[in-house]
Amino acid sequence: MKKHAIIGASGLVGENLFRVLQASDVDVNGTSNKQEIQGLDQLDIKSSVDVQNYINMTKPAYIYLPAALTNVEYCETNPEESYGSNVLGVENVVRACNQIGAKLIFFSSDYIFDGRNGPYPEDATANPISVYGIHKLIAEHYITAFCQDFIIVRTTVVYGWERQLKNFVGQLISTLREGITFNTPIDQIGSPTYAPNLAAAVLKLALSSYHGIINLAGADLISKYEFACEAAKAFDLDPALVTPVTTAKLKQLALRPLNAGMTTMKANAMQTYLLGYKEGLKEMSNTARNYCES
């Protein structure tokens, strides 16, 4: 049986990937960076020696790389740290992949676009407007230039159950349960993507012969405000606590791609379909008890 490794299995995408691969009876190892998590190995992708040693030890045929510094605001004010994780760390993994002939599945974002003409197909011209987006695009370029076997999965607004509930819906649930208002941009448009559904699609894609860039994102375009209201309803919370604001009023340091999101015609042609936000929220709500008891 071919081995799989998830570098960054402690975050939202990585955790759900780990669950899906385990449920598929796949031989899988996972890593976390700073957190000590039972069943996961610790690995800092900024260390080329550690990355090389880990991959030589585990010898996976497939390496999934959701590990990243994803706090867009933090990246904006700490560009060197962002570059270390989001570019140099990726380069370390690419070199290790090439040495053992592993297939790399890398996760990118619609933050590589400026948000003027979304939703974006795979061949749209990139024009990032934040440090995070710039570094994601540099990583993409490095992979396409130097990685021998790869898939770049572009996704966006990923939500679902995870240990820390740091994703958009998780933060919404935590805030509204406290009776606190949740300020949400009405002018940011995207494609909410349900994490377990994304993970299953990624596994199917990884096991195929596909090579190159592909969009895997939710089926619907919706503003973050409308999505937050729908999420509140799905979890029997008060949507009146969701307050619509413009992105400018949030005074965020990093610019956001406003009219973003992704088209998924390529994935659909491969019979790989992702859920719309209503179906995804319903599944998340229905699995709340199972997740909390697991």
Side-chain angles (χ1 to χ4, degrees):
M1 180 184 293
K2 292 184 177 180
K3 293 184 177 180
H4 298 240
I6 303 169
I7 298 179
S10 59
L12 173 61
V13 172
E15 181 180 339
N16 280 277
L17 264 174
F18 199 80
R19 285 172 173 263
V20 165
L21 266 65
Q22 283 187 318
S24 302
D25 293 324
V26 167
D27 186 357
V28 58
N29 292 92
T31 76
S32 65
N33 182 10
K34 298 177 181 178
Q35 295 175 281
E36 290 188 14
I37 298 174
Q38 185 176 4
L40 299 182
D41 304 308
Q42 285 190 281
L43 178 67
D44 183 353
I45 62 172
K46 296 190 297 296
S47 170
S48 60
V49 172
D50 289 351
V51 169
Q52 190 66 63
N53 288 342
Y54 182 78
I55 291 178
N56 283 340
M57 177 184 68
T58 55
K59 292 183 171 55
Y62 302 91
I63 297 176
Y64 305 82
L65 184 54
L69 185 57
T70 58
N71 186 319
V72 178
E73 293 291 277
Y74 186 85
C75 290
E76 199 70 19
T77 54
N78 298 272
E80 290 185 2
E81 192 172 343
S82 173
Y83 191 85
S85 294
N86 295 330
V87 178
L88 297 181
V90 175
E91 293 179 5
N92 291 336
V93 176
V94 167
R95 286 192 290 270
C97 280
N98 288 343
Q99 287 189 16
I100 67 167
K103 184 174 187 176
L104 175 66
I105 300 92
F106 174 72
F107 291 82
S108 191
S109 165
D110 61 353
Y111 272 71
I112 66 167
F113 300 111
D114 56 21
R116 295 179 182 176
N117 299 296
Y120 293 96
E122 286 83 355
D123 60 356
T125 301
N127 183 33
I129 53 177
S130 66
V131 167
Y132 174 75
I134 290 168
H135 291 167
K136 276 294 186 182
L137 184 59
I138 294 172
E140 282 197 15
H141 286 330
Y142 186 88
I143 291 167
T144 55
F146 298 108
C147 193
Q148 295 167 2
D149 190 7
F150 70 88
I151 299 173
I152 294 173
V153 174
R154 290 178 181 160
T155 191
T156 180
V157 197
V158 183
Y159 65 95
W161 296 115
E162 59 177 326
R163 292 179 185 89
Q164 300 181 67
L165 274 186
K166 294 192 299 182
N167 67 86
F168 181 76
V169 173
Q171 291 177 347
L172 173 82
I173 292 170
S174 300
T175 301
L176 297 193
R177 281 178 176 169
E178 296 294 324
I180 302 170
T181 57
F182 191 79
N183 292 334
T184 312
I186 198 168
D187 54 351
Q188 290 184 27
I189 311 298
S191 309
T193 309
Y194 184 48
N197 185 213
L198 171 65
V202 167
L203 176 58
K204 176 182 176 182
L205 192 65
L207 297 176
S208 75
S209 61
Y210 188 83
H211 177 92
I213 297 171
I214 191 166
N215 294 343
L216 291 180
D220 301 321
L221 275 177
I222 189 173
S223 74
K224 276 197 169 181
Y225 169 70
E226 293 171 300
F227 180 52
C229 290
E230 291 296 328
K233 295 173 188 175
F235 290 93
D236 296 322
L237 298 168
D238 186 3
L241 291 173
V242 181
T243 304
V245 296
T246 62
T247 297
K249 287 189 177 180
L250 292 174
K251 297 182 179 179
Q252 295 166 316
L253 296 173
L255 294 175
R256 266 61 172 179
L258 300 184
N259 185 20
M262 299 175 181
T263 63
T264 55
M265 288 180 288
K266 186 180 286 189
N268 294 346
M270 297 172 63
Q271 305 298 306
T272 301
Y273 304 101
L274 272 77
L275 299 174
Y277 66 90
K278 289 184 178 180
E279 295 88 352
L281 288 171
K282 183 177 180 180
E283 283 201 16
M284 185 177 175
S285 176
N286 289 341
T287 57
R289 182 184 298 275
N290 292 340
Y291 182 85
C292 294
E293 292 178 352
S294 64

